[in-house]
Amino acid sequence: MDDHTTVHAQGSPHLHGAGVCQVRAENLHKRFGKLEVLKGISLSVNKGEVVVVMGPSGSGKTTLIRCLNFLEEPEEGNVMICSLEVRSQDKGRERAARIRALRTKAAMVFQSFNLFPHMTALGNVTEGPVQVLKVPQAEANAQGLKLLAKVGLEHKANEFPSRLSGGQKQRVAIARALAMNPEVVLFDEPTSALDPELHEEVLQTMRTLAKEGMTMIVVTHEIKFAREVADRVIFMDGGVIVEEAPPAEFFANPKHSRSKAFLRLVEH
């Protein structure tokens, strides 16, 4: 049963209808020295789908999400977002150009916020559109204020990160990601650096994005969020996808012994 589950998840990534796949990774391998962190990961995520990636520390989930927009370079494998693809065989300038193009489609929200400390909240949100997309500053400011309002922080537009709470910093980071008009937002444990009472304000912002149809891949241990919002849960361990299922099925009846052991730990 266990071995069969692994083979199925690794060998048969979900393709919910031809031609509608929004994000696809094929056979991703990533090593750090002699340690192989990703061992041939394949997955696909459709437009508007919310996929939660769970697993124990060291399972490869953060490395996976960083490989999807090439913050980490996989040694092998292809990544496609919309019609933009970076392939194993791409080298040199062609590869660099493909990665730059792909990154315009995939925004990242980090565990530790990664805001520029010398810029205001509004400055953090407008920097990407102005510098990368060449949006005029006045237009970027107007859009930035709308995005800060969307995450409930228009009144903090002129505050510097040092004067914001952790939850406010993460919501600014989400607004900054949205400012690049991405097709998909990648979240790397967005609440793990926050005090428990600040989790909810960030998760509520993410729920709103999900309702609006944003494609999201979320690395998190937030089981309540996964139950409520995810279309699918992917469970990783040891650099492979061990199991994937709709949240109701995954949490009520996990198939793999490693999934069962993980859920026993995080649910109690």
Side-chain angles (χ1 to χ4, degrees):
M1 174 73 73
D2 288 359
D3 290 342
H4 173 75
T5 303
T6 303
V7 170
H8 176 77
Q10 286 299 105
S12 304
H14 284 239
L15 291 171
H16 302 284
V20 296
C21 183
Q22 182 76 6
V23 181
R24 187 168 73 241
E26 297 173 342
N27 195 36
L28 290 182
H29 288 262
K30 176 63 182 176
R31 300 171 187 85
F32 294 102
K34 293 183 179 179
L35 179 63
E36 189 175 18
V37 180
L38 299 182
K39 302 175 182 177
I41 295 283
S42 295
L43 63 87
S44 65
V45 179
N46 289 327
K47 185 173 180 63
E49 193 175 17
V50 178
V51 172
V52 164
V53 183
M54 307 187 96
S57 296
S59 60
K61 55 193 186 296
T62 288
T63 300
L64 169 62
I65 208 166
R66 289 175 66 86
C67 282
L68 291 178
N69 73 341
F70 291 86
L71 290 172
E72 298 288 355
E73 280 267 0
E75 281 83 18
E76 298 174 47
N78 306 333
V79 176
M80 177 183 282
I81 299 179
C82 299
S83 58
L84 301 173
E85 186 172 18
V86 181
R87 304 164 300 182
S88 284
Q89 61 265 39
D90 297 329
K91 306 296 181 189
R93 290 182 179 177
E94 181 189 12
R95 184 175 182 84
R98 284 176 176 269
I99 289 172
R100 282 196 302 273
L102 183 140
R103 282 179 177 160
T104 66
K105 301 294 186 183
M108 186 92 171
V109 176
F110 299 90
Q111 179 177 346
S112 54
F113 323 130
N114 288 16
L115 297 180
F116 298 115
H118 63 288
M119 293 183 177
T120 64
L122 181 59
N124 269 278
V125 173
T126 61
E127 179 72 0
V130 170
Q131 298 299 327
V132 179
L133 304 180
K134 307 304 180 187
V135 175
Q137 187 70 58
E139 183 181 333
N141 287 347
Q143 180 65 13
L145 288 170
K146 289 180 182 177
L147 289 170
L148 286 172
K150 181 182 183 71
V151 300
L153 289 175
E154 66 273 28
H155 61 296
K156 298 289 187 180
N158 295 317
E159 297 284 6
F160 289 89
S162 61
R163 295 179 57 84
L164 300 175
S165 72
Q168 290 169 337
K169 290 176 187 176
Q170 194 60 293
R171 285 186 283 155
V172 171
I174 292 171
R176 178 181 62 182
L178 296 176
M180 298 300 288
N181 295 317
E183 296 289 337
V184 57
V185 182
L186 310 171
F187 293 86
D188 182 17
E189 302 202 34
T191 61
S192 64
L194 302 178
D195 293 332
E197 62 268 23
L198 300 177
H199 285 203
E200 187 56 33
E201 62 188 68
V202 173
L203 293 174
Q204 189 54 48
T205 299
M206 294 169 65
R207 288 187 191 99
T208 299
L209 292 180
K211 287 177 183 174
E212 293 174 352
M214 175 60 73
T215 308
M216 297 161 60
I217 305 175
V218 186
V219 173
T220 186
H221 288 161
E222 297 276 2
I223 288 178
K224 184 170 182 284
F225 174 83
R227 286 182 187 276
E228 292 175 356
V229 180
D231 296 296
R232 199 163 19 118
V233 176
I234 288 176
F235 179 76
M236 291 183 63
D237 195 17
V240 300
I241 294 175
V242 173
E243 184 171 350
E244 58 178 302
E249 180 182 332
F250 178 76
F251 291 114
N253 187 31
K255 301 293 190 297
H256 200 288
S257 58
R258 283 182 281 179
S259 310
K260 293 174 184 177
F262 174 79
L263 290 174
R264 280 196 297 270
L265 285 174
V266 297
E267 290 185 319
H268 295 94

